[in-house]
Amino acid sequence: MTNDSREPSEETPIAKRLLIGDPLATAAQDEHLLRKRLALPIFASDALSSVAYAPQELLMILLIGGTAFLAFSPWVAAAVVVLLVVVVISYRQLIKAYPSGGGDYEVARTNLGEVPGVVVAAALLIDYVLTVAVSVASGVDNIISAIPQLDSGRVELAVGFVVVIILVNLRGVREASLVFALPTYIFIGSVAVMIVVGVTRIVMGDPPVASSADYAVQAESLSQAAVILLILRAFSSGCSALTGVEAVANGVPAFRKPKVRNAQTTLALMGTIAILLFSGLTLLALVSGVHYAENPCHLIGFDCESAPQPSLMAQIAAATFGMGSIPFFIVQAATAVVLLLAANTAFNGFPLLGAVLARDGYAPKALNTRGDRLVYSNGMVILGLAAILVLIVYQANLTNLIQLYIIGVFVSFSLGQIGMIRHWLRGLKTIRGYRPEARAEASVRSEALSYRKGLVINSLGATLTVSVLAIVTITKFTHGAWLVFLAIPILATLMIGVNRYYRDVEHEIAVDDSTRFGSSGDLALILVNRLQKPIVKAIDYALAAKHDKTLALHVAVSKEDAQTLQEQWREHRMPVPLVIIESPFRHYAAPVARFIETYRESHGSSVVTVYLPQYIVGHWWESLLHNRRSRRIGQQLMLIHGVTITLVPWLLDSTELIYGRRSRPLPGDERAGRGFDHFDDPVMLASKSSLERTDRPD
């Protein structure tokens, strides 16, 4: 095995190096695994930032029924907290049982079968796209709350932030974690300080008062059934605080050893912080009298025409610290940044899940390829483009986007928890199959106790998550969630189709004992249009390969061109025969195919190698100026059995700007009587160096 000692910058374009950095060696992969303090902002930013808009969405839905309905908010918030506790504990069990990074997808596929597995995968992929869209839209919303003049550029801001997040993540996990760690910890600290100050003011008898506390609300008249549905809808919106919990389970491979323990600790820290922040913000919102309406014009006293409605976080910060104060802007800036960076959770979860799906054959293999910076860059780019499309379609409107949100995550929650139940039951069944003396051993009893504990935890988790999925489906289906329910089966069907395609291809190309080696002949064809240096280079390569027979083949569309080529061929004493075939209808591939067929009829089933010169250019626009005939001919000739295509590259001078070298006079020129040095060919520069030749001409 040879070792390529060349610097990575020799092969990486300058623009790419400036944007994402120099390539990293595969051996450096372990150095870029995450410690817990860096993993927390990377994987938990989504869940932690959800507390910035989950209380807002919860109160907004309840306010549809009037201010009196806000009395239900403590109970609804408590239900969200209980659910979050159960889900966090359940996922700690999942991480221990399935640490490979597949998360709910691996659990469902292993324990429930292929279809539930791909449904979970499809749901998670869609949810990751919506996570980016919702997080960025929410961050832009908070920026506009502080600077209302930016409202007209909402979509442009959102798209720009997504592009920046893509570029930062393409630089690698460690670099991204360093960039995102500080803002996440500033957000946690600033919101925690705000909650402490607000609660202290409440205890001291000086509770903060929100700017919207005096606004009345145009309430809708609701029947008893509608009241219940409204409360359930508020609960489902509040459950957006749970998004991002699954990302830690999907990202276990990115942790440093011991991976399982570090991932479990990070998940527990994330859950604890999210619960404290969610509870504190909900408390301050209720005490300060925040009124945040789905339609701002329904707030009596608020001028909805002249200014956008301030977010819940902005109103609490203004009530606690004072509008326009330094702490107010710190909270707003930290909230906006962490909401934007919450999209980073998806940029870690989506590519990792995509890589697992690619390894299992349910996604294109390109998703399992690491880029220059040791990240799954193809998955990141796909995620970013999909999120940008969603933001443009929905005009970065948070209220509309939130209706699509959390459907996918609760589909994966539910099937993942049910899969874990099957996992524990299978383990207990295995233990029951042991001999009595084996079951009496302390280690086996401890293992059985662990299985029963996991069964209880995941049974409770499954019950709650399935119930919440039903609630979310009922309350959000007509508000836009039906699109997600339509997209999940479509994507799942496509993934199964990809898997069947890969399976059929593997079956088709599998080696068997019926394969026969050898052929009755070996013919090389060099396709010639005009006699130029790229043709001479192709002739030299063909001669070096020592085929049984080598011919130059010219497809003549005009007699004048054919006659000129014949004269040049004789003049330059080319070392291979030139065969001219006429093409009165100006076709190229078909006459060559007929020539091959005729040759085989006379000489047997020869293997045919077709040499096609091809320009390599340094600028994208040069591709538009050169005829791409050789590529089209090659694509058509490849369909003929027993024909292989050899592309002979000729680097134009413009490539020196990008690749650092260009084609020079070649070995074939010597055979053509020009006498150039054999080692001038770029392909042979390595051999020249190894022989330490220094007599290279200009």
Side-chain angles (χ1 to χ4, degrees):
M1 180 180 294
T2 59
N3 181 25
D4 188 353
S5 60
R6 289 175 296 178
E7 289 293 327
S9 58
E10 294 179 10
E11 298 183 355
T12 305
I14 296 175
K16 187 175 182 181
R17 295 205 307 271
L18 290 175
L19 286 175
I20 67 174
D22 289 329
L24 297 172
T26 304
Q29 186 171 342
D30 289 344
E31 301 174 12
H32 287 256
L33 297 177
L34 298 173
R35 296 184 176 90
K36 293 190 291 292
R37 66 174 179 270
L38 293 179
L40 182 64
I42 282 286
F43 289 108
S45 57
D46 181 19
L48 295 179
S49 66
S50 297
V51 302
Y53 55 80
Q56 173 178 296
E57 295 301 314
L58 186 156
L59 297 178
M60 181 188 73
I61 299 302
L62 288 175
L63 203 61
I64 293 175
T67 55
F69 276 70
L70 295 178
F72 293 109
S73 55
W75 304 104
V76 176
V80 173
V81 169
V82 170
L83 180 62
L84 182 55
V85 171
V86 172
V87 170
V88 168
I89 295 174
S90 299
Y91 268 89
R92 282 174 58 86
Q93 301 293 319
L94 189 150
I95 289 171
K96 182 178 180 180
Y98 294 91
S100 65
D104 287 318
Y105 157 72
E106 185 179 0
V107 173
R109 183 168 176 263
T110 302
N111 297 287
L112 302 178
E114 179 187 45
V115 173
V118 295
V119 167
V120 167
L124 282 173
L125 293 176
I126 291 171
D127 190 72
Y128 281 135
V129 173
L130 292 174
T131 293
V132 177
V134 169
S135 299
V136 171
S138 183
V140 170
D141 208 36
N142 275 269
I143 292 174
I144 292 173
S145 294
I147 311 174
Q149 294 82 0
L150 297 177
D151 188 38
S152 59
R154 180 184 297 267
V155 176
E156 291 80 0
L157 276 173
V159 171
F161 283 127
V162 173
V163 172
V164 171
I165 294 171
I166 293 173
L167 293 176
V168 172
N169 276 279
L170 287 176
R171 296 187 67 88
V173 174
R174 188 169 67 180
E175 282 72 10
S177 64
L178 293 173
V179 171
F180 298 149
L182 185 60
T184 302
Y185 285 123
I186 291 176
F187 169 77
I188 295 171
S190 61
V191 175
V193 168
M194 182 175 69
I195 292 172
V196 170
V197 171
V199 171
T200 302
R201 288 184 57 180
I202 294 171
V203 173
M204 298 295 292
D206 180 29
V209 179
S211 59
S212 61
D214 295 332
Y215 296 154
V217 179
Q218 296 179 10
E220 298 182 10
S221 58
L222 302 172
S223 63
Q224 186 173 0
V227 169
I228 296 174
L229 286 174
L230 188 67
I231 294 173
L232 292 177
R233 185 183 168 195
F235 172 68
S236 66
S237 293
C239 285
S240 58
L242 277 75
T243 57
V245 173
E246 79 290 344
V248 178
N250 291 336
V252 176
F255 285 83
R256 289 196 172 183
K257 296 179 180 179
K259 294 179 181 291
V260 171
R261 189 175 70 188
N262 288 339
Q264 288 180 322
T265 302
T266 301
L267 181 61
L269 286 171
M270 180 203 70
T272 302
I273 296 171
I275 288 170
L276 292 175
L277 297 185
F278 176 81
S279 303
L281 288 172
T282 303
L283 172 64
L284 290 182
L286 291 174
V287 172
S288 63
V290 172
H291 292 160
Y292 189 90
E294 187 174 28
N295 184 347
C297 295
H298 288 176
L299 291 175
I300 301 174
F302 176 70
D303 185 4
C304 63
E305 300 294 336
S306 61
Q309 182 178 203
S311 65
L312 177 141
M313 187 71 77
Q315 293 190 49
I316 293 177
T320 304
F321 298 119
M323 185 67 177
S325 64
I326 293 177
F328 166 80
F329 282 111
I330 291 176
V331 171
Q332 281 301 98
T335 301
V337 172
V338 83
L339 282 167
L340 294 170
L341 300 185
N344 189 63
T345 297
F347 277 96
N348 282 273
F350 185 102
L352 287 171
L353 179 58
V356 173
L357 289 168
R359 285 196 294 271
D360 290 344
Y362 291 100
K365 300 298 184 184
L367 292 180
N368 193 32
T369 302
R370 291 186 184 271
D372 286 348
R373 302 291 293 180
L374 297 177
V375 294
Y376 297 110
S377 50
N378 291 328
M380 291 180 176
V381 173
I382 291 172
L383 171 62
L385 293 177
I388 287 173
L389 178 62
V390 172
L391 285 167
I392 293 174
V393 170
Y394 284 87
Q395 293 294 290
N397 187 301
L398 180 61
T399 301
N400 292 336
L401 286 169
I402 206 75
Q403 304 304 324
L404 309 178
Y405 203 29
I406 80 171
I407 298 292
V409 75
F410 272 98
V411 168
S412 64
F413 279 171
S414 301
L415 291 176
Q417 296 300 306
I418 294 172
M420 287 300 295
I421 292 174
R422 291 284 299 273
H423 170 80
W424 301 125
L425 290 175
R426 186 182 295 111
L428 290 172
K429 182 179 179 181
T430 301
I431 291 176
R432 285 195 296 269
Y434 292 169
R435 296 190 304 274
E437 56 271 22
R439 291 200 303 269
E441 294 179 5
S443 60
V444 176
R445 291 202 306 271
S446 175
E447 186 179 9
L449 180 61
S450 175
Y451 285 171
R452 293 190 185 96
K453 176 184 173 183
L455 180 61
V456 171
I457 292 173
N458 290 119
S459 295
L460 178 60
T463 302
L464 292 178
T465 53
V466 170
S467 300
V468 172
L469 177 60
I471 292 170
V472 170
T473 302
I474 293 171
T475 57
K476 291 196 171 191
F477 190 85
T478 58
H479 294 272
W482 63 271
L483 283 169
V484 179
F485 283 104
L486 179 64
I488 288 175
I490 291 176
L491 184 56
T493 302
L494 288 174
M495 287 194 290
I496 292 176
V498 169
N499 179 263
R500 298 298 183 268
Y501 170 78
Y502 279 134
R503 184 191 63 185
D504 293 343
V505 170
E506 285 296 319
H507 177 74
E508 182 179 342
I509 64 177
V511 176
D512 55 50
D513 295 333
S514 63
T515 302
R516 296 181 179 179
F517 297 93
S519 60
S520 59
D522 175 22
L523 171 66
L525 297 177
I526 302 107
L527 296 192
V528 179
N529 183 28
R530 292 185 297 165
L531 185 55
Q532 297 171 313
K533 288 181 179 179
I535 296 297
V536 177
K537 182 177 181 179
I539 292 173
D540 184 71
Y541 281 13
L543 292 174
K546 296 183 172 32
H547 298 277
D548 292 347
K549 191 167 189 177
T550 302
L551 300 174
L553 191 64
H554 173 69
V555 178
V557 295
S558 74
K559 293 182 179 179
E560 293 78 9
D561 289 343
Q563 185 176 357
T564 300
L565 179 61
Q566 285 178 314
E567 293 172 356
Q568 292 176 338
W569 207 262
R570 288 191 293 267
E571 177 186 351
H572 293 283
R573 305 188 304 278
M574 302 310 296
V576 297
L578 174 65
V579 177
I580 296 178
I581 53 177
E582 295 184 356
S583 178
F585 296 101
R586 298 164 304 286
H587 296 159
Y588 290 90
V592 175
R594 286 194 295 270
F595 176 84
I596 293 173
E597 182 181 357
T598 303
Y599 183 89
R600 284 174 169 171
E601 290 175 355
S602 303
H603 298 82
S605 56
S606 301
V607 172
V608 179
T609 303
V610 179
Y611 288 84
L612 290 172
Q614 180 171 307
Y615 289 138
I616 306 299
V617 299
H619 307 98
W620 64 269
W621 50 265
E622 290 182 87
S623 299
L624 304 177
L625 302 179
H626 291 288
N627 197 319
R628 308 174 76 91
R629 185 186 303 152
S630 63
R631 184 170 298 177
R632 294 196 301 270
I633 293 173
Q635 290 173 344
Q636 295 178 61
L637 294 181
M638 280 191 290
L639 300 176
I640 304 174
H641 288 292
V643 173
T644 60
I645 307 299
T646 299
L647 297 178
V648 181
W650 181 268
L651 279 68
L652 296 179
D653 285 351
S654 60
T655 59
E656 191 172 20
L657 299 173
I658 296 177
Y659 302 108
R661 65 178 190 268
R662 58 183 177 179
S663 291
R664 298 285 187 176
L666 10 129
D669 289 330
E670 181 176 328
R671 294 194 181 97
R674 289 189 172 84
F676 289 106
D677 188 345
H678 273 265
F679 293 95
D680 282 337
D681 184 66
V683 177
M684 304 190 67
L685 286 178
S687 301
K688 177 178 179 180
S689 175
S690 64
L691 294 175
E692 298 183 347
R693 291 186 48 141
T694 58
D695 56 340
R696 176 185 173 187
D698 291 334

